[in-house]
């Protein structure tokens, strides 16, 4: 393959990987935008989404001969329900408490999820059954084929970004979610139910995050604990894009995916293995120093 | 206080929109903010709630609207009635559903939202009315035509006067039965305060919205009010119809500064101005 062809392939793979990160990152930004909580359990929630299919596959997905799309739908539904469950059982009790305590709770939650998956399913990598692995790929120029999971990642993350942007910009509920996040009390006296807005955002956030986890696992052929690392990588993405910006989370994730892939392919032979993993974190540090609100983050308006 | 009681008994069954009966309000189970307050607002009236900082004006409004519950406030003695119904310690959403809208102190616009999006939030209550229409804002533009040109501006970048108009307009399209206003004149130029107050009076008359206005600007507030209460250290010190109250010596001396120049705080025995929490 030509030099250009290789560069193209690495770039496309980076974008595909970044798009999958984007789903996890959007889940993070959504919660931050609406509730002000930094969810440190994103990686673990993605992990849970990925392992769910392992649990379901043998009795349900394979037995009924359902395709990969069924796995995605099942994960989506599971994510919504998990979001509702966690909000009801955990996060609702922290409304009105300092945001910091909720952040600590998410750390604990992450630990609990990892432990439970380890305990219930086991610590090993679990390959997905052939039946629920999408077997097509998207042909691109230079003879490059983009695998189904990356293609799905790009498509789904684009859909989610556009849908959420339209939702926040043009619908009443979208305005209300943003209002509630900027001033809870002022929203409450207008009759906004803070509980409902928070419930809705957790459900959406965890559903999107789970899909991200599932696609990441599909791209690797199965679920493994390496997915947790996505939770750390997306920090670089959301900080670059601006913590509370949905399109920012998307673009930041694509950038992180590219840095990781290009770094892995071009820098690792020169510098050494693992550089691809390190570069996004170096990037994170630089971004925080240079542009603390990120590309699209809301800078606080201070009228003087 | 006896004044308030006799007032309600002579009302011949015409229930006041809101009534506090000997209410005691405590924050966080140990901080006594208001004690033994009895007051009421009759239908269609503007009631002025006057007094210095920390007198309990905001606290009373917050316990009527229920938002005080989210700050760990509680009516520990006495009762609050709304339209004859006992609503002591009701949650904010329950009061919103009954038509009570509270304009919080400090022009709480949603700064990241545009003026239009701010108004849009006024159209929604508890799951009802998800769809919206620009004509829904007509009521707001009728009283605040300036807002129409600002619809696409981020509310955080509008001026203080515009923000005050916006919060009143936002509350107005919420179609309240009772509107609670906390310090609408705070930090605004005198001319703006005059305009806002005149508009409030107009809204009160035209839209038949009962209002309680808590403000330190006694002169302006009493000009448009029908009845006034003066609070001091969480208790009602004076209450009279606004035109009577504005002529009371204590008010003149303490708030309006229209009495003799020699008068000092210490000369006015009625007002025990001191820090409560030391």
């Amino acid at each position: 393959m030509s030099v250009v062809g290789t560069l193209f392939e690495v770039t496309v793979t980076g974008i595909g990987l970044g798009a999958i990160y984007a789903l996890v990152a959007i889940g993070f930004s959504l919660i931050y935008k609406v509730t002000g909580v930094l969810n440190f359990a994103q990686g673990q929630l993605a992990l849970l989404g990925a392992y769910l299919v392992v649990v379901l596959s043998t009795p349900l997905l394979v037995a009924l001969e359902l395709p990969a799309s069924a796995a995605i739908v099942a994960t989506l539904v599971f994510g919504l329900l998990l979001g509702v469950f966690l909000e009801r059982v955990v996060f609702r009790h922290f409304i009105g408490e300092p945001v910091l305590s909720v952040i600590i709770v998410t750390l604990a939650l992450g630990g609990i999820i990892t432990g439970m998956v380890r305990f219930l399913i086991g610590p090993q990598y679990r390959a997905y059954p052939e039946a629920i692995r999408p077997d097509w790929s998207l042909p691109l120029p230079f003879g490059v084929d983009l695998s189904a999971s990356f293609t799905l990642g790009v498509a789904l993350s684009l859909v989610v970004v556009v849908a959420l942007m339209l939702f926040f910009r043009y619908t009443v509920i979208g305005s209300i979610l943003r209002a509630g996040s900027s001033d809870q009390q002022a929203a409450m006296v207008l009759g906004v139910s803070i509980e409902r807005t928070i419930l809705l955002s957790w459900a959406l956030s965890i559903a999107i995050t789970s899909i991200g986890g599932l696609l990441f696992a599909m791209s690797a052929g199965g679920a493994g604990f390496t997915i947790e690392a996505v939770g750390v990588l997306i920090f670089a993405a959301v900080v670059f894009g601006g913590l509370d910006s949905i399109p920012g989370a998307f673009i930041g994730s694509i950038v992180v995916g590219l840095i990781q892939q290009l770094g892995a392919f071009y820098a690792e032979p020169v510098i050494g293995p693992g550089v691809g993993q390190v570069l996004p974190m170096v990037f994170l540090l630089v971004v925080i120093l240079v542009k603390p609100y990120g590309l699209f983050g809301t800078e606080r308006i201070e009228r003087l | 206080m006896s004044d308030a009681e006799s007032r309600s008994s002579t009302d011949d069954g015409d229930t006041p929109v809101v009534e506090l009966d000997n209410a005691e309000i405590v924050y966080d189970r140990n901080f006594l903010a208001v004690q033994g307050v009895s007051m009421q607002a009759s239908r269609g009236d503007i009631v002025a709630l006057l007094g210095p900082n920390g007198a309990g004006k905001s606290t009373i409004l917050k316990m009527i609207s229920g938002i005080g519950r989210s700050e760990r406030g509680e009516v520990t003695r006495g009762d609050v009635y709304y339209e004859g119904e006992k609503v002591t310690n009701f949650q904010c959403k329950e009061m919103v559903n009954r038509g009570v809208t509270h304009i919080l102190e400090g022009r709480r616009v949603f700064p990241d939202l545009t003026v239009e999006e701010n108004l849009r939030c006024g159209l929604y209550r508890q799951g009802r009315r998800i769809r919206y229409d620009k004509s829904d804002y007509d009521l707001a533009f009728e009283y605040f035509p300036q807002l129409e040109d600002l619809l696409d501006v981020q509310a955080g970048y509008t001026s203080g006067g515009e923000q005050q108009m916006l919060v009143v307009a936002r509350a107005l399209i919420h179609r309240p039965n009772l509107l609670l206003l906390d310090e609408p004149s705070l930090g605004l130029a005198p001319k703006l305060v005059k305009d806002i107050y005149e508009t409030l009076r107009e809204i009160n008359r035209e839209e038949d919205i009962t209002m309680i206005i808590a403000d330190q600007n006694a002169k302006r507030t009493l000009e448009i009010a029908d009845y006034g209460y003066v609070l001091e250290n969480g208790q009602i010190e004076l209450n009279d119809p606004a035109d009577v109250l504005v002529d009371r010596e204590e008010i003149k001396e303490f708030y309006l500064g229209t009495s003799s120049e020699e008068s000092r705080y210490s000369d006015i025995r009625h007002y025990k101005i001191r820090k409560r929490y030391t």
Side-chain angles (χ1 to χ4, degrees):
Chain A
M1 197 179 276
S2 67
V3 177
V4 180
T6 310
L7 177 65
F8 183 72
E9 182 171 19
V10 175
T11 307
V12 166
T13 318
I15 291 174
L17 186 63
I20 291 177
Y21 291 162
L23 290 168
V24 182
I26 290 165
F28 178 91
S29 287
L30 187 61
I31 279 300
Y32 180 75
K33 190 181 175 77
V34 179
T35 67
V37 170
L38 299 165
N39 183 6
F40 286 109
Q42 278 300 98
Q44 286 75 15
L45 287 165
L47 178 81
L48 197 56
Y51 268 100
L52 172 83
V53 174
V54 175
V55 180
L56 282 182
S57 59
T58 317
L60 195 69
L61 296 168
V62 174
L64 297 176
E65 294 177 9
L66 291 169
S69 52
I72 295 178
V73 173
T75 308
L76 186 70
V77 173
F78 163 78
L80 285 171
L81 294 177
L82 180 66
V84 171
F85 173 78
L86 287 178
E87 198 275 342
R88 281 283 154 97
V89 175
V90 182
F91 297 111
R92 170 153 304 184
H93 306 291
F94 290 90
I95 294 176
E97 301 293 329
V99 166
L100 186 64
S101 41
V102 192
I103 294 172
I104 303 295
V105 166
T106 66
L107 277 173
L109 183 68
I112 292 171
I113 293 174
T114 314
M116 293 231 320
V117 172
R118 239 177 244 277
F119 174 69
L120 294 172
I121 305 176
Q124 311 88 352
Y125 168 86
R126 297 287 290 266
Y128 281 1
E130 283 299 328
I132 58 162
R133 266 192 247 169
D135 50 3
W136 49 275
S137 61
L138 184 73
L140 293 170
F142 302 106
V144 175
D145 284 322
L146 189 62
S147 74
S149 45
F150 286 161
T151 313
L152 280 173
V154 173
L156 284 179
S157 57
L158 277 174
V159 167
V160 167
V161 168
V162 172
L164 284 178
M165 280 172 76
L166 293 175
F167 171 70
F168 277 116
R169 183 57 57 191
Y170 294 108
T171 68
V172 181
I173 301 182
S175 302
I176 282 164
L177 285 179
R178 284 159 61 214
S181 71
S182 98
D183 190 335
Q184 277 198 1
Q185 278 198 332
M188 281 169 78
V189 292
L190 288 174
V192 171
S193 165
I194 293 296
E195 286 96 340
R196 275 192 220 175
T197 62
I198 292 178
L199 179 71
L200 178 65
S201 28
W202 277 107
L204 282 179
S205 162
I206 293 180
I208 296 169
T209 305
S210 307
I211 297 290
L214 172 72
L215 287 179
F216 187 83
M218 276 184 175
S219 75
F225 274 80
T226 47
I227 298 174
E228 272 183 273
V230 176
V232 182
L233 279 172
I234 59 138
F235 282 118
V238 293
V239 167
F240 176 64
L243 282 179
D244 59 352
S245 165
I246 305 286
F250 175 75
I251 292 171
S253 302
I254 299 290
V255 171
V256 166
L258 281 172
I259 290 177
Q260 206 188 349
Q261 285 298 303
L262 292 170
F265 194 82
Y266 291 106
E268 283 192 7
V270 184
I271 304 172
V275 175
Q277 297 294 321
V278 175
L279 283 179
M281 293 299 120
V282 176
F283 175 66
L284 169 68
L285 291 178
V286 175
V287 169
I288 290 182
L289 283 173
V290 177
K291 201 150 176 21
Y293 286 106
L295 278 187
F296 307 104
T298 316
E299 294 188 32
R300 240 165 254 275
I301 299 173
E302 303 280 2
R303 281 190 68 251
L304 294 175
Chain B
M1 267 166 272
S2 58
D3 212 9
E5 278 160 25
S6 63
R7 197 165 166 252
S8 59
S9 60
T10 55
D11 264 348
D12 295 316
D14 187 13
T15 43
V17 174
V18 71
E19 182 172 11
L20 269 69
D21 179 23
N22 206 19
E24 177 184 271
I25 303 173
V26 173
Y27 276 118
D28 230 354
R29 289 174 188 273
N30 60 28
F31 176 81
L32 180 63
V34 164
Q35 48 183 328
V37 164
S38 294
M39 59 172 286
Q40 59 174 26
S42 304
R43 181 164 313 286
D45 273 5
I46 294 183
V47 172
L49 213 51
L50 308 171
N53 283 329
K57 307 187 295 293
S58 298
T59 302
I60 289 173
L61 294 190
K62 282 175 181 171
M63 291 319 289
I64 295 173
S65 75
I67 192 72
R69 301 284 289 146
S70 71
E71 298 176 345
R72 299 170 194 257
E74 197 184 349
V75 177
T76 46
R77 246 181 243 160
D79 276 307
V80 182
Y81 296 90
Y82 175 75
E83 299 286 6
E85 180 192 11
K86 188 167 151 184
V87 293
T88 316
N89 288 323
F90 270 35
Q91 297 288 341
C92 185
K93 59 183 172 193
E94 297 173 286
M95 296 314 291
V96 170
N97 284 341
R98 283 168 174 73
V100 177
T101 301
H102 188 167
I103 300 180
L104 299 165
E105 183 178 355
R107 300 194 286 278
R108 303 267 282 269
V109 298
F110 303 117
D112 304 331
L113 275 64
T114 65
V115 168
E116 177 175 0
E117 288 165 340
N118 265 275
L119 289 174
R120 209 184 276 169
C121 295
L123 292 173
Y124 176 87
R125 29 171 96 176
Q126 298 295 317
R128 293 204 311 273
R129 186 59 169 281
I130 308 278
R131 298 175 59 77
Y132 79 103
D133 198 314
K134 287 223 172 173
S135 64
D136 291 329
Y137 305 150
D138 287 351
L139 185 63
F141 297 150
E142 198 180 308
Y143 294 98
F144 304 102
Q146 303 94 316
L147 291 178
E148 202 160 3
D149 302 324
L150 297 170
L151 282 181
D152 296 326
V153 180
Q154 247 186 299
Y157 289 119
T158 57
S159 73
E162 287 160 354
Q163 292 186 354
Q164 188 62 54
M165 288 177 207
L166 177 55
V167 293
V168 176
R170 191 173 70 188
L172 186 58
I173 53 180
H174 210 219
R175 304 274 182 169
N177 174 49
L178 171 68
L179 186 58
L180 309 170
L181 295 105
D182 200 347
E183 300 273 357
S185 73
L186 191 74
L188 293 181
K191 171 76 172 78
L192 277 172
V193 174
K194 187 164 173 285
D195 290 349
I196 293 263
Y197 271 81
E198 276 168 10
T199 311
L200 287 176
R201 185 62 180 174
E202 222 177 297
I203 293 170
N204 161 256
R205 289 276 179 271
E206 299 293 323
E207 309 300 329
D208 192 31
I209 297 173
T210 309
M211 296 182 183
I212 303 179
I213 305 178
D215 211 314
Q216 302 208 37
N217 191 334
K219 186 159 175 272
R220 283 267 172 255
T221 316
L222 287 175
E223 265 172 24
I224 64 159
D226 298 289
Y227 204 87
Y229 293 87
V230 178
L231 285 155
E232 167 72 22
N233 287 342
Q235 289 174 315
I236 290 178
E237 293 288 335
L238 297 170
N239 69 102
D240 267 318
D243 47 354
V244 178
L245 202 56
V246 80
D247 288 329
R248 295 271 295 248
E249 276 308 307
E250 301 94 325
I251 284 283
K252 278 190 171 176
E253 290 189 27
F254 186 57
Y255 288 105
L256 310 180
T258 50
S259 193
S260 65
E261 282 174 29
E262 261 102 317
S263 68
R264 297 206 181 88
Y265 286 166
S266 54
D267 297 334
I268 308 165
R269 289 184 53 230
H270 209 86
Y271 291 92
K272 303 169 281 277
I273 306 294
R274 62 189 145 84
K275 282 195 178 159
R276 275 183 301 161
Y277 327 123
T278 46

